Amino acid sequence: AIVEFRPEIVYTLLGSIQISALALHCAKVCNASIVPHFMDDWMTTMYAGRPDLVIQRRLLLRTAQRVIRAAPVGMAISDLMAAEYTSTYGVPFYSFMNCVSVPAEMRPEAAFDPAVGPRLVYVGGLHLDRWRSLKEIGEALERLNSEGIHGKLFVYAPAEHLSEFSGRLAGPSVNIAGSLAQDQVAEALTGGHILVHVESFEKTSRQYTRLSISTKIPQYLAAGRPLFCYGPGEIGSCRFVEENECGLVVGVQDRSELISALRRMLQDASFRARLGANAWTTARQRFDAPKVRERFRSVIAQAAWGPTTGQEAPGSRVQLNASEEM
C-alpha cells in the first residue's frame, strides 16, 4: 500500500528500533526523502544504564542515527533541541511544537472571591512524579493561606490518574476538579488566574525532558494567563517560559523559594497581567495553527524538492520572527 501511494516524504517520530528500521526501508523502496521529528530526547535515556540492554541500546542509536544521516532536514519539539541536534548531527533541524487556535483577543482576568483568592489551574497528567510537585505547591499555598494570602489550586487530570494520585494530593488548598474533555480545556484555562505547569525533579525524568516543550505550554499561553512553572530550571519548558517572560519559574526544589514566588503571583495583579499579555502575544507569534501549518508545509517542501529562498536558518527562528510579528 505504501509503494502504491508513492510518497515523496516519509515522516516519522521514530521512538524504537523497529519503527526506525521500517521508516528507512520505506524511504528506500519508495525513493523518498525521510524526515524525523523528535518530541523528546529519548535517544539519551532509552535503555541507558541497563547492562542487560547494552546491545539494544547500540542498535537503537545506530538505527536512529542512520535515519538522521539520511534525512535532508529534521524536526524537533523545541528551539533548544533543534539547535543542539543541528550542531550534533550536522543536519538542519527546525523546531515544531504543538500548535493551537489562539483567540483574536485576549480575555481579561476574571474577578475572584477575596476569601478564596486567585485560582491556580493545572490541566494535565499526574504521572512521572508530577503529582509530587503539585503536592508541594498545595502545601506552599496552605502556608500562605494561613498568613491571610489566599489562593487555591484546581487540578484537572485524566480519570485514571485521579484514581491513582488524588488521595496523595488532597489538602485544604487543593481542589481535585475532575477530568476535562478536549473541548472543555480552553474554558477551564481562561477561567483561571494563574496556570500551573510542573515537571519532576527526579534525575531520569529531568534528563528525558531536558530539551522538550510540554504540549500543554501552547494551550496555556493561548489563554492569556500567566504561567507558574515548578520544575528543573534547565529543562526546555521552564527555559522557554522564562526567556519569553510568560510566567514565573521556580527552577529548584526549595520550599522557601516556592512560597516566595507564589506570594508574588497571588498578591501582584499588575505582574500577573503583564505576564499574561506576554503569554498571549507569544502564542500568537509562535503557536497559532495557521502559521505553524504554513511553516510545516514549507519545511516539508524543502525536504521533498530542495531549499527555497527565505527559508529560516536551521535550529533557530531568528529569521522568521520579524515576519511573524502581529
Side-chain angles (χ1 to χ4, degrees), residues 197 213 217 221 227-229 231-252 257 261 264 271 274-275 278 282:
H197 176 71
I213 295 284
I217 296 293
L221 299 179
L227 275 65
F228 185 85
C229 298
E234 78 274 8
I235 68 172
S237 294
C238 292
R239 289 179 61 172
F240 182 89
V241 169
E242 193 162 51
E243 288 168 3
N244 288 278
E245 299 182 357
C246 300
L248 195 55
V249 175
V250 179
V252 294
E257 282 201 34
R264 183 180 184 189
F271 181 57
R274 177 167 62 83
L275 295 178
N278 289 345
T282 300

Side-chain angles (χ1 to χ4, degrees), residues 91-109:
V91 172
F93 273 80
Y94 301 90
S95 61
F96 283 95
M97 313 174 207
N98 192 32
C99 61
V100 292
S101 177
V102 183
E105 295 183 358
M106 189 182 79
R107 283 171 52 177
E109 179 181 278

Side-chain angles (χ1 to χ4, degrees), residues 136-202:
E136 291 176 14
I137 291 175
E139 291 169 348
L141 285 172
E142 189 174 348
R143 164 69 181 275
L144 290 169
N145 290 173
S146 71
E147 299 175 6
I149 301 170
H150 298 294
K152 195 161 192 175
L153 173 62
F154 292 77
V155 175
Y156 297 91
E160 61 271 22
H161 290 196
L162 293 177
S163 176
E164 182 176 357
F165 298 110
S166 61
R168 308 183 202 185
L169 281 172
S173 298
V174 179
N175 184 314
I176 305 300
S179 302
L180 295 172
Q182 188 58 43
D183 60 0
Q184 297 175 312
V185 171
E187 189 64 29
L189 296 179
T190 53
H193 302 92
I194 301 162
L195 304 182
V196 175
H197 176 71
V198 293
E199 295 287 357
S200 172
F201 286 93
E202 189 270 328

Side-chain angles (χ1 to χ4, degrees), residues 9-21:
I9 292 290
V10 175
Y11 169 85
T12 174
L13 300 182
L14 304 176
S16 71
I17 298 168
Q18 294 89 341
I19 293 297
S20 301

